[in-house]
Amino acid sequence: MTKRLLEDVYTTLQSANLATNESAFCEQWLAKSACYMRTLRFTDTEPSAEALATLGSKLGYYANELARRDDATSKHWAAVLTEL
């Protein structure tokens, strides 16, 4: 279940141009190695609590930062990140 959640978050961040590729997502949003998602798929394991906590923290931080801006696009993505 949580692997699917990570994939959904990655897809959403990619559509917002906040993650350029899966390797960058792993490094920048999960604070893990570039091959973290591939390793999860290959070994059929779930993501660590640490990776999920890091992701949640970063999503919250950037949602707050975007919410402070006045334009509609930033407000939209702030709501999307908050929902994630």
Side-chain angles (χ1 to χ4, degrees):
M1 173 62 181
T2 52
K3 256 192 298 195
R4 181 69 188 149
L5 173 70
L6 284 185
E7 291 169 0
D8 291 344
V9 170
Y10 165 64
T11 302
T12 303
L13 291 175
Q14 191 175 35
S15 69
N17 292 321
L18 295 173
T20 54
N21 56 48
E22 190 175 271
S23 297
F25 170 71
C26 292
E27 292 176 337
Q28 296 168 357
W29 288 90
L30 304 177
K32 295 292 184 184
S33 70
C35 62
Y36 186 69
M37 294 285 284
R38 285 190 309 268
T39 301
L40 293 178
R41 284 191 295 270
F42 182 74
T43 60
D44 195 29
T45 55
E46 294 297 321
S48 69
E50 176 187 7
L52 295 173
T54 300
L55 177 61
S57 175
K58 288 187 179 204
L59 287 171
Y61 173 80
Y62 287 108
N64 289 335
E65 290 298 311
L66 288 169
R68 292 180 194 184
R69 296 182 180 182
D70 291 330
D71 61 292
T73 302
S74 295
K75 298 285 185 193
H76 166 75
W77 287 111
V80 170
L81 294 183
T82 299
E83 187 176 323
L84 289 173

